[in-house]
Amino acid sequence: MTTFWFIVIAFLWTGYFVLEGFDFGVGALLPLLSRSEADRRQVLGTIGPVWDGNEVWLITAIGAMFAAFPAWYSGLLSGFYLAVFLVIAGLIVRGVGLEWRGKVHSRREIALCDAGIVVGSVLPAFLWGAIFGNLLFGTAPATVLGGALSLSVAVLHGAVFVALKTTGGVRARARRAALLAAVGALPTAIATLPSVPGRGPAWTLGTALLAASALAAGVTLVWGRREGWAFTATATAIAATTATVFGVLWTAPLPGLTLAEAASAPYTLTVLTWIGLFALPGVIAYQAWTYWVFRKRLTAGVH
């Protein structure tokens, strides 16, 4: 049960980083992809129907950690209290910006909402990488590199998503933004990923290589205007990176703490398993249906 729930939690974090990753990237790129109010609405329209649903993955992942591995939950959140607080503050500011933007009318109020969306996207995207980088290596350079990697990959992922979901000038600018983001993402991945597998099981070397290869493939596919496959590649890169990180954490989710020591009692894990068997498929099915409904490209003027 312990290993099963660790895999479930890793899956939930993977879903969060893949889905919320492009949300963060879109928000961070809002000023760069927009030349007019119509452009800004087109860009934000790509994530409008899904961004709040994507955050459910984080809530579920944290909740599962609290129930299945309370010692891991408390150690992680208290050990990185300031960083986690800033992540939550960023998510709140971004949520307010996204919700209020369509309800305010003055240029100043709209500009404040846009600033909140940008800051509330950049801050969590950087801090999650910094938290896990520090968790793995415990050094300041690793913290900065982890943050730089997660932010640059999120920007690349978001740019590809906008290119996939839009037409016209916004689509063209999104493709260019993706290629520019790759200038930061690829070198950072090369500098960061090879050092991770040495701390975990042998198979993490394969997932690290897959992450780097998928990232490079995504850039090549964007260059060839194959946005659908490019988005699949960047999503694969994020998933493989997350698998690598959690592969290392499997031996010790926190320094000096084994997975068995962090776990709840067997009875608790059994009850959680029955709840998860019914709840998790429903969440996945609902989100899949949402993405299917809003699958078409957006043109200028679409809210």
Side-chain angles (χ1 to χ4, degrees):
M1 284 294 183
T2 301
T3 301
F4 171 77
W5 271 100
F6 181 82
I7 293 172
V8 169
I9 290 169
F11 170 76
L12 292 170
W13 276 103
T14 300
Y16 173 68
F17 287 136
V18 169
L19 298 176
E20 192 80 312
F22 68 75
D23 283 349
F24 291 149
V26 172
L29 288 169
L30 179 61
L32 302 178
L33 301 182
S34 309
R35 298 290 183 269
S36 64
E37 177 60 19
D39 286 349
R40 285 187 284 275
R41 293 190 179 192
Q42 188 180 5
V43 171
L44 292 176
T46 62
I47 62 172
V50 298
W51 69 269
D52 50 353
N54 292 342
E55 289 187 355
V56 172
W57 289 81
L58 174 62
I59 297 169
T60 309
I62 295 293
M65 288 177 65
F66 171 76
F69 301 100
W72 183 19
Y73 164 88
S74 61
L76 178 65
L77 269 63
S78 61
F80 297 96
Y81 182 86
L82 178 59
V84 173
F85 173 80
L86 291 174
V87 166
I88 294 172
L91 293 176
I92 292 172
V93 169
R94 185 188 66 147
V96 170
L98 288 167
E99 289 292 341
W100 282 13
R101 196 183 193 283
K103 300 176 177 63
V104 298
H105 304 288
S106 72
R107 291 185 178 180
R108 180 175 176 275
E109 290 171 329
I110 292 174
L112 283 174
C113 288
D114 288 348
I117 293 169
V118 174
V119 173
S121 298
V122 171
L123 201 59
F126 177 86
L127 287 174
W128 281 129
I131 288 171
F132 281 99
N134 186 277
L135 191 61
L136 291 179
F137 297 98
T139 64
T143 302
V144 175
L145 269 178
L149 177 63
S150 63
L151 176 58
S152 59
V153 172
V155 170
L156 172 59
H157 194 42
V160 173
F161 184 73
V162 174
L164 174 65
K165 292 288 292 181
T166 59
T167 60
V170 169
R171 182 186 181 189
R173 286 191 289 274
R175 282 201 302 265
R176 290 195 293 270
L179 295 174
L180 288 174
V183 175
L186 286 174
T188 308
I190 292 171
T192 306
L193 288 174
S195 59
V196 177
R199 296 173 174 264
W203 59 262
T204 55
L205 176 60
T207 54
L209 292 174
L210 174 61
S213 301
L215 201 61
V219 176
T220 304
L221 289 163
V222 170
W223 182 269
R225 302 189 177 189
R226 303 290 297 276
E227 292 98 344
W229 284 109
F231 182 76
T232 301
T234 54
T236 300
I238 294 173
T241 300
T242 309
T244 304
V245 170
F246 275 83
V248 176
L249 295 179
W250 181 68
T251 55
L254 289 173
L257 180 70
T258 66
L259 203 60
E261 293 169 340
S264 294
Y267 177 77
T268 302
L269 295 179
T270 301
V271 173
L272 284 175
T273 301
W274 284 106
I275 295 173
L277 287 175
F278 288 97
L280 192 58
V283 171
I284 296 173
Y286 174 76
Q287 282 224 290
W289 175 79
T290 302
Y291 278 94
W292 175 257
V293 170
F294 296 101
R295 66 188 181 277
K296 294 183 179 179
R297 288 184 183 271
L298 300 179
T299 56
V302 175
H303 292 242

